[in-house]
Amino acid sequence: MEKLKQKIMRCTKEDIVRAIAIYAVVAFLLVFLVCPLCTLFVKAFQNKDGAFVGFAQFIKYFQSKSLIQSISHTFFVAIMSTIISVTLAFFFSYALSRKNVPCKGFFQYIGMIPIFAPTMLLGIALIYLFGNKGIFTALGLKVALYGKVGIIIAESIYCFPVATTILMVAFSAADNRLYEAADTMGTSTLRKMLTITIPNVKYGLISALFVAFTYSFTDFGAPSVVGGNYNVLATDVYKQVVGQQNFNMGAVVGIILLFPAVLSFVVDRITNQKQSAAINSKSVPYQIKPDKKSDALATAFCICITLVMVIFFAVALFASLIKLWPYNLTFTISNYDLTKIASGSGFTAFKNSILISLITAVLGTIVTFVGAYMIEKNQKFKTSRRIAYFLSITPLAIPGTVIGLSFIMFFNASQFNIPFMDGYALQNPFHGMYGTIWILILANMIHFYSVPFSTATTSLKRLDKEFETVSESLAVPFYRTLGKVTLPLCLPAICEMWVYFFVNSLVTVSAVVFLASPTAPIASVIIVSMEGAGQTAPAVAMCMLLLFINLFVRLVYEAIRGRSNKKK
Amino acid sequence: MSVNLRISNVSKVFEKNIALNNVSLDIQAGEFVCLLGPSGCGKSTLLRLIAGLDKPNEGSIYINDRNVTNLPPARRNFGIMFQSYALFPNLTAYENVAYGLRNKKMRNQDIEARVDRLFHMIKLDSAKKRLPSQLSGGEQQRVALARALATEPDFLLLDEPLSALDAKVRISLRKEICRIQKELGLTTIMVTHDQDEALTMADRIIVMNKSVVMQEGTPEEIYEHPENPFVADFIGSINFIDKEKCKLYGLCEQERAAIRPEKIELSRTEKEASLRAQIKEIEFRGFYDRITVCVSHGVQGDMILLVDVPFRMVKTMQFRIGEVVYVNLPREELLGFKTA
Amino acid sequence: MKRIVVLAMAAMLAVTALTGCVTKAEGQADSTTTVADSDENVLNVYTALEDEQVADYLTEFKEQNPDVTVNVTRESTGVITSKLLAEKENPVVDVVWGLSATSLLVLAQEGMLDAYAPEGVDRILPEFKDDAEVPTWVGIDAWETAFIVNKEVLKSNGIDTVPTSYEDLLDPKYKGLIAMSNPASSGTGLLTVNGILNLYGDEEGWNYLDKLHENVAVYMHSGSQPAKATAAGEYGIGVSFGYRCIQSAEEVGSDICEAVFPKEGSGWDLEANALIKKDNQKEIAKKFLDWAISDNIMKKYATNYPIVATGVGDNIPEGYAKNPIDQLIPDMDFAKAAQNRESILETWTERYDAKSAEQE
C-alpha cells in the first residue's frame, strides 16, 4: 500500500493524461471488440432460449447438407477468385512498377475504382453484361453467370485493388544493385524474374493471397446478387440471421467464418515482419530500363485491365440512367430520385450513410491515432500497451459479417446474467445504442480499425523517437509536442486514415446489414433490400451515388496531398 | 549555474539483461565527462538514467546532493543532444530553439533576445528562418545545441552528437562544443564510442564495458596508464605480450605485458637488449607507417609486434618487407597487468 | 496527496458505475427502451407491402400528422416475421402494416398482438378480419399467385406456348427457365406453396413441388424479384403475385410479357394490420391503424389490388380477371397455415435448398 502510494505520488500530470488515454483506448477495444465477440461465442453454444447446449448447434450445422455444401462452395469460390485476382494484380503491378508504361497514375487509379463502390454493384453490372439479356450475351458470349462463375468474376474484381496495392508496395521495395549485379553476369530475363523479382516480392505475394482470400471468403454483396442458388457462408449467415432470425446458428456460421480469416491474419503478421526485415536503407531504387517489346506488352495488359474496369462501371452508369433494361432504353434520371425509393426512406438512408461515414472517419481517425501514439510514443504502461497493440490489429482478422453479428447480439441484450449470482444481472449500458446510427458508427470503427492503426503506427515510427525526449528535457508537456510537431508531421497519414474510414464506411455491407434499423436506415443496406425486391435500376443508381461521393472525397484528398507535396 | 552529479551504486536490468551493474560516479560542477565504451556497454543506459528517461532498479542519482532518482525528466533541468539531431522538421531553426521557451511564461521580446544570443553563439545568425531540411548536418547539430541550451539547463547530456557527421565537420564541431561548454562552465556528459572524440574533448573519461566502469581518469591517465587490458586495448593500438613470451624474452614478471606501437624503437643496428626481427608488412598511414614485425626465438617463440614509425624516420630509413631489423622495447614504457 | 484523492474518487466512480448496472434480473427487460418508446412523435412500422406502394400510401398519413416521424422497415414477409419473433421480448415496432395473415396468426399464437378495433372496422368483411369481437388483426387486401411470362425469352428458347396452369409448368421444355420466390423469405412464395398443398393435398402437393423443382432455375429472396427479373429478360417464367406480374408486364409491354393467373386457381393470403403488445403503447399507433383502413386509403389499395377488405371494388385494376374472387383457391385455412408454417418451411428448405446446392 505504501509502495502504491509512492507510485501514485510520483505520477506527473502528464502521466495521468497518458494513463487516461491508453486505458481509454484499451477500454474502447475491450468493450466494443472483445465483449461482442464473447457474446457471439456464448451464443454459439446456446439454444434459442439461452440454455447452454454445448456443441449441439455445431452438430446440427454439420448435419445439414446444404450448410455443409456452403463451406465447400465458399472455399472453391474464394480460392478461384484469389488465384485470378492475385495473378492479374501481380502482372498489373509488375507492369506499373517495372516497365515503361505511360500514364501510370491513370491506370493505377482506374484499377482502384472497385473499392469505392459496394460489391453489389459488381454483381449487378455482371448481370447487365453476362445475364440472359446481357450485352456480351447478345454478342454471343454466353456464360452460366448465376452461381459460381458470377461470384468468382465479381470477387476477382473486388479483390483486385487490394492485391494490387499490396503488390505495388512489394515491387517498390526492390534493390537495383541486385539487378545490376545480375546484368554484369549476363543473367537472362527469366532467370532474373525467378531468382530476384519473385523472391523479392514473395512476402507481398503471400500477404496479397491471404488478404484476397479473406475478402472473397467473407464478402456478402456479390454472392447476394449473382449467387443464384449457389449458397456461400456469408449469404448463409444472412439467411439464418435476417431471414430466420436464428442468431445462435448465425453465431455458429460466424465462428466458422473466423477460422480462415484468423489463419490469414497470422500468416500476414509473420510475412509482414519478414518483409520489413528484407529491405534495408542502403537499397537502391529500381531503375526501369526501356525495352520496346515488353513495354508494349505491359502497356497492352494495363489497357486491358483498365478497359474491364471501365466497362464494368460504364455499364453500371448506363444501367442507372435508363428506364427499363432491356426493353425500354430511354434515358431517365428518375432512378436517382431518392425520395421515391425504399418506401420513401431513400434520402434519409443516403443522408445517414454520409453522416455515419463522416462521424466514423473523424472518431475512427482520432481513436486509432491516439491509440497508435500511446503505444508507439510511450515508455510506461508496458502491459497495457501490449494489450492495446494486440487488440488494435485483431479487427483485421474479423470478417465484417462476424462483427455485425456479434454487435447485434451484444447490443440487443438489455442485460447479461452474471454466472453464479442467480437473480442478479448486469444491465447493458450500451443497449440504448441499439437501433441508432451509433451502433453503425461503432461497428465501422471496429471493422476498419486495423489498417488506419497501422498507417498511424508506420508514420509515427518514421518520426525521430527522440522528439519526445527532447521535449521532456525542455520541460514541454507531451501534448504540446503532439500538437506542434507530431500531428503536423503525420498530417498526410491522418488524411489517409480519414479517407480510408470514410470510403469503407460508405460502401460496407457485411457488418451493417445486420445492424441497420427502421430508425436508422443506410444506403448500402437499402441497396441490398432493393436488389432483393428486384428494383435493380434504383439499386444501381444508389451504388453510383456512393461511388461518386467516394471518388470525390478521394480526389479532394489527392489534390490536397499533391499541393502539400509541391510545397515541400 | 552548474551542478555536480553523483551516481551511487546504480543497477539497471532490462528483461534479464543487465545493462548496468552497480555503477558509481562523481561528476564535478563544470566538468566535461565522456562515457566511452563499445556498443552495449551500458553508457547510453547510464545517460538515460541521468536524464530520468528510465528508472534504475537499484541505487540513486543525486544532483547537487539532492536525490532525484524518481524525479521526472522535466524537473531535472538539463539539455540534451542526439546523434540524429532530432530537430522538429516542420519548425524553423528559430522556432526549434525557441521551443522550450514558449512553454515558460516569458515575454516574447525576452525569448527573441535569448534566441538571438544563442544563434550568435553558434555562429548561425543567417540560418534562423530556415527549416532543418535546408541546413547541413553540422548546422543542424549546432541548432540542436542551441535548443538544448535555450532553457538555461543545469547540465548538458550529449548522446553521440557527432557520429552522424562527416570527419571534417566533426572535428570543427568538437572544438565548438568544447568552447561553448567552457564558456558557460556547464557540467556536461557525453556518450561516445569514438576514442579520439573522448581523448580530445573530455576533462575526464569513464571507460565502460559489460555494464561496469573499467577505469576513470583524465585522457592522459587513461592512455598512458590503462588499468586493465580492456582499457589498454580499447583506447589506441597496443601489442599484448603474454606471460611465456615475457619470460622468454626477459621482459617482465607479470601475468601480461603490453606496449603501444609508437613506443617501440626500430633500427638496423643491434643494441643492448634489442631483439632481432623480420619485417612482415608495411602499412602506409599518412604521418606514420605501421610496420608488422616478427620476433623469432626458436620454434614456439615467434612474437608478432606492431611498430609505428614516424614519417620522417620512414623517409630516411626506407624499410623493406623481409628485411631483418632490431626492435627495442623500452622497459619504462612496458605496461604490466596482473590479470590475463 | 491531492493525486491520491483524485484517483480514489475516480476508482469509486468506476465501482459505482459498475454496481449501478447490476440489477435484479426480473422484470427489467425493457426499462432502458422506455424513454425512447413513449415518444408519441415517433412511430415505428414493419411492413411487407411493396416498396413503391408504401411511399405512395404514406403521403396522406404524413400530411395529417406532420409532427410524427414514421420509421418504416420494408422487407419480405419471411424476414419481417422472423424479425418480429426474434424481438418478442423487446419489441422495436409499434404496429405491423400489411403483413400476411398467416404470419400475423403466428404472432397471435405467440401472444405478441393486442386486440384493437380500429375506427370503421365494421366495414371490413368478416372473412378479412379476426373472428373475435375486438379483432387482433384486420385485413386490408388480398394477394394471390400469378405468373409472368416473358414471351420473347421463351421464343429465343424455341418455345411459343404460354403456360396457363401449374400443370403446364412441369413441362420439361421449361427446364431452367422458371424463377420462383423462396417461401422461407417471401410471403408470396409461402402462399404459392400453401395454395399448391391445398389444391393437391399434402402428399401430391409435395410431389408436384418435387417435379417443379426440376424446372426451377432459381428461388429468389422476395415475391417481386422473380417478376422483375423475368421482365428484365433473365428468366422465361416468373412465379410471383398478381399485382407485380401485371405491373411488370405493363412496364415492358404486352408484346413481350404477359401476366397469367393459373387455371387451377391461385394460392392467396391477406395483407393485414395489427397492434404489437408492449408496455408503452402509443396513441399514435392506434391512430395509424385507424387511418390504415380509412376510406381514402382503401381506395388507394384498390388501385393496386382488385380485392380489398371492404369487398371487390367497382374499378378492378387493369389486367385482373373479371371476377377476381373466382380466381382464388377456396377454403384456404390461414389458421392451419400459421400452425404449419414452421414445418412447411423446414420441409421445403430441406428438400430444395439442399438439393439445389447438390446439383452444382
Side-chain angles (χ1 to χ4, degrees), chain A residues 471-536:
Chain A
S471 314
E472 276 197 89
S473 79
L474 296 172
V476 176
F478 82 91
Y479 37 84
R480 205 177 121 83
T481 306
L482 175 65
K484 273 251 162 189
V485 179
T486 316
L487 280 178
L489 289 177
C490 291
L491 205 60
I494 289 170
C495 289
E496 199 183 314
M497 289 154 68
W498 194 94
V499 171
Y500 181 89
F501 268 119
F502 184 88
V503 166
N504 282 291
S505 304
L506 198 62
V507 299
T508 185
V509 194
S510 51
V512 292
V513 76
F514 301 105
L515 303 173
S517 76
T519 40
I522 60 164
S524 56
V525 175
I526 293 256
I527 292 168
V528 172
S529 93
M530 282 197 289
E531 211 286 324
Q535 296 168 306
T536 315

Side-chain angles (χ1 to χ4, degrees), chain B residues 27-207:
Chain B
I27 296 165
Q28 302 307 314
E31 203 180 6
F32 192 130
V33 170
C34 258
L35 302 176
L36 178 66
S39 53
C41 70
K43 57 187 192 297
S44 290
T45 308
L46 184 55
L47 193 81
R48 290 179 66 82
L49 291 185
I50 296 171
L53 298 166
D54 283 320
K55 295 233 153 66
N57 298 83
E58 274 169 52
S60 313
I61 297 167
Y62 299 88
I63 298 177
N64 269 356
D65 302 319
R66 175 172 164 235
N67 190 337
V68 296
T69 317
N70 289 315
L71 217 59
R75 292 202 222 149
R76 296 191 186 196
N77 196 26
F78 63 94
I80 195 163
M81 259 170 93
F82 293 100
Q83 180 178 353
S84 63
Y85 326 133
L87 289 181
F88 305 128
N90 58 326
L91 303 179
T92 60
Y94 182 93
E95 276 306 320
N96 262 287
V97 175
Y99 194 78
L101 302 175
R102 294 254 181 257
N103 205 46
K104 306 209 149 100
K105 282 171 188 135
M106 262 176 91
R107 286 191 311 181
N108 261 343
Q109 59 207 80
D110 291 345
I111 293 179
E112 207 167 312
R114 192 184 292 180
V115 175
D116 280 345
R117 214 166 56 230
L118 285 162
F119 270 98
H120 187 70
M121 190 170 74
I122 59 165
K123 296 172 185 162
L124 267 179
D125 295 285
S126 58
K128 282 180 208 163
K129 291 274 162 60
R130 277 187 257 164
L131 287 171
S133 55
Q134 296 161 326
L135 298 172
S136 72
E139 288 169 331
Q140 288 189 51
Q141 199 57 298
R142 277 195 268 170
V143 174
L145 177 63
R147 180 178 64 183
L149 296 172
T151 48
E152 298 182 332
D154 290 341
F155 60 102
L156 194 60
L157 301 175
L158 311 174
D159 191 356
E160 309 220 3
L162 305 172
S163 304
L165 298 169
D166 294 341
K168 279 228 160 152
V169 181
R170 204 184 306 171
I171 287 165
S172 74
L173 250 181
R174 272 185 206 168
K175 285 186 191 152
E176 198 86 337
I177 292 174
C178 284
R179 175 178 67 81
I180 291 167
Q181 189 264 336
K182 288 283 172 288
E183 226 173 272
L184 301 173
L186 206 56
T187 314
T188 302
I189 302 166
M190 180 169 84
V191 160
T192 183
H193 61 262
D194 182 335
Q195 39 159 317
D196 286 347
E197 221 165 271
L199 291 173
T200 52
M201 294 173 81
D203 296 329
R204 195 145 59 95
I205 296 175
I206 289 144
V207 186

Side-chain angles (χ1 to χ4, degrees), chain A residues 462-463 487-493 560-568, chain B residues 89-90 131 133-134:
Chain A
R462 256 189 238 134
L463 300 183
L487 280 178
L489 289 177
C490 291
L491 205 60
I560 293 171
R561 206 179 62 165
R563 245 183 53 192
S564 69
N565 274 354
K566 241 184 225 161
K567 241 166 67 184
K568 274 179 195 164
Chain B
N90 58 326
L131 287 171
S133 55
Q134 296 161 326

